[in-house]
Amino acid sequence: MLNSTLNSVIYALGGAILIMGCQPAKEKNTSGDATTSETPALPVGISEPLVTDLYTADPSAHVFDGKIYIYPSHDIESGIPEDDLGSHFDMKDYHVYSMESVGGPVVDHGVALDIKDVPWAGRQMWAPDAAYKDGRYYLYFPVKDKNDVFGIGVAVSDSPTGPFQAEPTPIEGSFSIDPAVFEDEDGAFYMYFGGIWGGQLQKWRTGTYDPDGELPGKDEPALLPKIARLTEDMKGFAETPKDIQILDADGNLFLEGNNEQRFFEAAWVHTYNGKYYFSYSTGDTHNIAYAIGDNPYGPFTYQGVVLKPVLGWTNHHSIVEFQGKWYLFYHDSSLSGGRTFLRSIKMTELTYNEDGTIQTIDAYVQQ
């Protein structure tokens, strides 16, 4: 619930990331609560876990009323075997955290939404996001329905900390995972979403769900994230979702085989000096990459890497300005000793170059 004084953070880069990410912790914790006992000795990281009594991941950070509010997923150990579709990421609720100052106490406001209170939900409450409009707060979340197909739901509260009341059905026309909601300067709200592999984006290539849908071939254009403008009541799509184009320096789409740069999951959008920054995870190559465009719909031109790979399989982030500085929120598996589905949220300062590009962050102290 408070900032930890944990020093046993982080890990060396390279191929060893994946090896350590698959190693079990020395002490198994079946409760889903965090533990720091018998944590393997790891090289020092640039930041420490913000939360140490629970495992948390996928931090979506926002500034509401002068405070930072973080909307992460809540990792637990459910005993489901690990697989490429992420079946072992079997989260069941969301907590909300707040910070009045960087480096100050991180307050846990308790369970904001539980899967048992979502009428249409089946399993796996993955990475959420939140938005504020006209005195109300909206929590957007992906969860599989009773047929094991991901949809995106919305829940509403009068408080940024919840509790949130879920709508009885998912957003019509929604699918896949990782909703990220962005408010433009004109007051319009947009949702970005999508994720391949376990995120099921490849199963929607024809416009309808195909359980046998597969990824493009390595020499075909990669699947693209989606965007849809939200309705005035923030509970639906005002348009059919469209592709977000991510282009290389020559204006070409990335191919599926270019997994160092193509989209995998974890979309996020922010603006800086009049430009739109679309950042995302490359997934199986573990970078947080970014591209820059001139409007919310893109196209976005690839620029480079925001965050290099962290300890654990996944990499998921958000970027927010607070009190005149910019911060990157992310997660790793340091608190669990490298268990890839038991992660911990972190934050570190983010720096822009004079030309508007972002300085690449290495999560580890170089020795």
Side-chain angles (χ1 to χ4, degrees):
M1 184 169 172
L2 300 180
N3 280 338
S4 169
T5 58
L6 181 68
N7 286 322
S8 59
V9 186
I10 312 305
Y11 182 70
L13 286 173
I17 293 171
L18 300 183
I19 297 172
M20 282 296 294
C22 295
Q23 289 184 359
K26 291 185 178 179
E27 177 177 337
K28 202 166 194 177
N29 180 359
T30 58
S31 69
D33 294 337
T35 178
T36 59
S37 63
E38 299 189 38
T39 302
L42 302 173
V44 177
I46 58 172
S47 64
E48 298 179 351
L50 295 173
V51 178
T52 60
D53 63 329
L54 296 176
Y55 290 115
T56 53
D58 313 316
S60 291
H62 293 272
V63 177
F64 298 135
D65 295 327
K67 291 183 182 180
I68 296 174
Y69 289 89
I70 310 170
Y71 300 84
S73 51
H74 174 198
D75 283 352
I76 60 172
E77 186 170 21
S78 62
I80 296 174
E82 296 183 35
D83 61 30
D84 285 344
L85 298 180
S87 300
H88 47 297
F89 294 97
D90 190 31
M91 300 87 113
K92 300 182 184 303
D93 61 28
Y94 299 113
H95 285 237
V96 178
Y97 297 87
S98 67
M99 304 170 62
E100 293 191 5
S101 62
V102 174
V106 179
V107 179
D108 182 353
H109 297 275
V111 175
L113 181 66
D114 191 289
I115 194 168
K116 70 179 184 296
D117 297 320
V118 181
W120 58 275
R123 65 187 181 111
Q124 294 184 287
M125 299 186 87
W126 283 10
D129 193 20
Y132 168 80
K133 182 181 179 181
D134 297 336
R136 308 201 82 186
Y137 297 85
Y138 300 85
L139 182 68
Y140 299 92
F141 58 95
V143 65
K144 285 181 177 177
D145 64 16
K146 312 293 186 184
N147 297 313
D148 236 23
V149 178
F150 270 114
I152 296 173
V154 57
V156 187
S157 177
D158 293 328
S159 167
T161 61
F164 289 86
Q165 178 70 43
E167 292 295 301
T169 58
I171 294 173
E172 184 175 356
S174 71
F175 53 93
S176 196
I177 61 169
D178 291 354
V181 176
F182 165 75
E183 181 183 8
D184 206 359
E185 291 182 355
D186 62 1
F189 286 84
Y190 300 89
M191 180 185 290
Y192 301 81
F193 64 97
I196 64 174
W197 291 18
Q200 301 181 342
L201 189 59
Q202 71 275 7
K203 298 182 182 298
W204 291 89
R205 294 177 66 184
T206 64
T208 57
Y209 181 77
D210 176 3
D212 298 318
E214 297 182 350
L215 290 169
K218 292 188 180 299
D219 295 327
E220 296 181 87
L223 293 182
L224 297 170
K226 304 294 184 179
I227 180 176
R229 182 168 53 84
L230 293 177
T231 52
E232 287 297 316
D233 67 1
M234 301 290 283
K235 297 179 181 179
F237 291 160
E239 59 187 357
T240 301
K242 301 175 174 62
D243 286 341
I244 289 287
Q245 292 191 332
I246 306 171
L247 308 176
D248 65 17
D250 296 321
N252 300 313
L253 293 170
F254 291 116
L255 302 181
E256 173 60 29
N258 187 351
N259 57 351
E260 291 285 341
Q261 297 173 308
R262 62 94 173 92
F263 173 81
F264 189 104
E265 62 186 2
W268 186 265
V269 172
H270 74 280
T271 55
Y272 178 78
N273 285 350
K275 296 290 187 178
Y276 295 80
Y277 288 65
F278 182 88
S279 48
Y280 58 96
S281 173
T282 60
D284 51 341
T285 49
H286 318 292
N287 292 315
I288 297 297
Y290 76 107
I292 296 178
D294 293 321
N295 71 78
Y297 291 95
F300 296 91
T301 301
Y302 180 88
Q303 301 295 317
V305 173
V306 177
L307 178 66
K308 293 181 179 181
V310 299
L311 176 61
W313 174 258
T314 63
N315 209 351
H316 196 121
H317 73 298
S318 58
I319 296 171
V320 67
E321 184 180 16
F322 182 64
Q323 296 179 348
K325 292 184 177 182
W326 286 87
Y327 295 93
L328 174 75
F329 289 78
Y330 65 104
H331 68 228
D332 71 12
S333 296
S334 59
L335 185 62
S336 66
R339 306 187 73 192
T340 193
F341 59 95
L342 297 177
R343 299 159 294 180
S344 302
I345 58 173
K346 297 185 169 188
M347 67 181 294
T348 190
E349 191 169 346
L350 180 143
T351 304
Y352 296 90
N353 297 311
E354 290 187 3
D355 63 359
T357 56
I358 295 173
Q359 293 184 14
T360 299
I361 295 171
D362 189 332
Y364 312 109
V365 173
Q366 298 302 299
Q367 301 182 11

